[in-house]
Amino acid sequence: MQRKLIREEEYLKDVKDSLAKSKELRTNISSILDNFQERIGRLNETITPLYQKTSVIQQKQQNVKKLLNIIDASIQFYGKTMELENTVRDGSPAQNLDEFLEKMESLKEAMAFFKSHRAYESQRENMKQTFESGCTCLESEFATLIKTETTPLDPMKIVDCLDDDYELLHFRLTGLKTLKNPEKLTKIARWMFKNASIATIRAKYAAVRSENINKTLKLIIEQQSVLTPTQSRVSKSALLKTALKKAAGRQSIQPGENLDASKDAPVNSALLLLASFLILTQQETDVSTIVFEDVSEVANVFRETIAKPLNNVLERCTVILEQYEGSFASVLTMARFALRNLNQLQSLAENVNESATYLAFNRTVFKKTSQMISDCIDKLSNDNGRFIPNDGNVHQVTAETINFLKMLAKNRPTVSQVLEVTITGGRSSAHFSKLFAQILAALGLNLKNKAASYQDEYLSALFMLNNLNYIHSCLQDEAIHLILAERHDQLSTFYRSEIKTYLSKYLECWSKVTAVFNLAEGVDERKAVRYCYSNFNREFDAVVDSQKNFCVADVQMAREIRRSVKDLVLRPYADFCSRHTNDSYSIDRQLKYDVESIEIIINRLFDASS
């Protein structure tokens, strides 16, 4: 216990010593902190005035730096101005366009810089004059480039882009180029649009490109003008290609070509002009988009470019149609083209304030188409032509009229729209069917008038038979049949009845041949038989001889007529011969034909080779 007490006392003593040291340390630290706070106060009183003076000095230093920067910029812009003035005075954009545009850009920056300082007003005016001179140089360079780089299209390449209906084959446009290299033009146009007025270069561009379109169209017209009257037009684009090849010396003129082809040439020329113009406008849209880029500027320059060519093309085509006297097929092609491209042509005309010119052209197309349809009916009704085929074959008028009807049926949508505009006032469907009936009625009357010109009544009947059968066969064409069925569903029955009537009329000549077999009562039988054979030979030979040049165009109809003739002649003759084969008296010298010979001769009827 004593030892434990001693240890505790020692421990307590150490604690008291530690507390004494801690109190001493705390006193020293408090003294130091008080002294530090006092020093900070004195430092703050000393530094604050100095800081304020330094801030003023820094602001002045910044102002000095700004002034130095302004002076440096002024010196730099002055230098660039002098450099550009020398470039404008001594050089041109053609030498180094990129460098010229870069200096023009720097000059514009200098103008903007000096604009903010009124003290430099005179210098800014000098820069402005220099800038305007630079813009003038760029405009002149643009005009030179657009003339140099623009090239007219080869007419043959344009024709190759069109089908037989003068519609565009888009996949063939890839190789067409009317601007050789647009790179420099594009740089100048875009820089001018961004930094200056673009009106001048737009006008220059439009003038050159418009003239290029006119030049290309003129080349096409000149190529067509080499076409002589002996050159034919088999298909629409084929003729044009042939004509252009002949003009280029790549194809010789073949003899025996259709002399009437030249009548269609004016409308074909008008069609090619319109189709070529549409191709050139598409090309122009692509080129102007590349050069000017901005949508509004592209629209403006396109409008200025196509205005004059469109007016020229529409006016020329209108005059051609007004004076045209060729085939209906060409006019119908023009009407189909005008309707198919109506929206595009109308939009182009409205865009360049040529709506009146376009409407005049459109009216002329529809009026000419409608007029030629009416002329067809009038021509059939008032045909005074005296030509009739000597063999009673199908008349050319019939073939032409049926082809005309087929053409109308094939192009019903086009013809219906034409009739709706020019005649019916909205009832095109009913009038279209009625039109077919009118044409067929006029054709029927025309054929009857021509048939009356034959001196041989049986040839006249055969003529009507041939023509009516041809008409009836052609009316079975699906397109024509559907049109006539709308209002005239009994027409086929009418023609069958007429064919039967004229067939009966024709067969009357063969009925006379077999009438000799009717033996009169009370007449000596031997003499009667000889008389029958003799008269039969004479009548049969006369009929065959008179019909040796007769023709039946339809093979099936010819076969049917021969069968009817056999029923009328061959069978009675065979029966008569069989009844008198075993007669006791001789009639061999009266038997000119046996049954087989008669059949062979009948089978050769209407055979041109025999």
Side-chain angles (χ1 to χ4, degrees), residues 256-293:
E257 294 178 324
N258 186 4
L259 297 180
D260 294 333
S262 59
K263 292 182 179 180
D264 293 339
V267 167
N268 298 332
S269 173
L271 276 165
L272 184 59
L273 278 178
L274 282 168
S276 301
F277 175 77
L278 292 180
I279 289 177
L280 292 171
T281 56
Q282 184 163 337
Q283 287 286 302
E284 198 55 49
T285 302
D286 296 340
V287 171
S288 58
T289 302
I290 292 173
V291 173
F292 290 93
E293 190 177 40

Side-chain angles (χ1 to χ4, degrees), residues 132-184:
E132 290 174 352
S133 298
C135 290
T136 302
C137 289
L138 288 173
E139 291 169 354
S140 299
E141 178 64 15
F142 186 90
T144 302
L145 286 172
I146 193 63
K147 290 179 181 178
T148 305
E149 300 297 335
T150 295
T151 177
L153 284 178
D154 181 357
M156 277 300 300
K157 291 183 178 180
I158 294 178
V159 174
D160 286 339
C161 294
L162 302 173
D163 62 14
D164 284 350
D165 287 328
Y166 298 94
E167 292 304 316
L168 177 61
L169 301 172
H170 291 276
F171 65 90
R172 291 186 177 175
L173 288 177
T174 307
L176 299 184
K177 294 183 71 174
T178 59
L179 193 66
K180 290 180 282 189
N181 187 358
E183 183 180 356
K184 290 185 177 180

Side-chain angles (χ1 to χ4, degrees), residues 46-58:
T46 303
I47 293 300
T48 298
L50 182 61
Y51 170 77
Q52 292 174 349
K53 291 180 181 180
T54 304
S55 177
V56 173
I57 293 172
Q58 288 178 344

Side-chain angles (χ1 to χ4, degrees), residues 304-413:
E304 294 179 23
T305 301
I306 70 164
K308 187 175 180 180
L310 177 61
N311 178 272
N312 293 341
V313 169
L314 290 177
E315 288 185 348
R316 182 182 180 89
C317 291
T318 301
V319 172
I320 287 174
L321 286 169
E322 289 173 346
Q323 299 175 351
Y324 181 68
E325 296 181 355
S327 71
F328 176 73
S330 292
V331 172
L332 187 59
T333 303
M334 173 63 82
R336 187 168 60 247
F337 180 90
L339 287 170
R340 188 178 292 127
N341 297 279
L342 185 145
N343 291 335
Q344 184 177 2
L345 287 171
Q346 186 174 9
S347 175
L348 289 172
E350 291 175 353
N351 197 26
V352 298
N353 298 321
E354 291 290 347
S355 296
T357 308
Y358 170 71
L359 290 175
F361 162 75
N362 219 32
R363 280 195 303 268
T364 304
V365 173
F366 288 173
K367 181 180 178 181
K368 177 61 72 171
T369 306
S370 177
Q371 179 186 335
M372 295 192 78
I373 294 174
S374 300
D375 289 347
C376 174
I377 300 175
D378 293 341
K379 184 178 178 180
L380 287 173
S381 302
N382 303 304
D383 184 14
N384 296 320
R386 296 183 179 181
F387 168 76
I388 49 175
N390 295 329
D391 56 3
N393 204 344
V394 177
H395 198 282
Q396 183 180 358
V397 169
T398 304
E400 289 176 352
T401 304
I402 292 301
N403 288 336
F404 184 76
L405 291 177
K406 288 182 177 179
M407 192 185 308
L408 292 178
K410 182 180 178 181
N411 296 277
R412 179 171 186 174

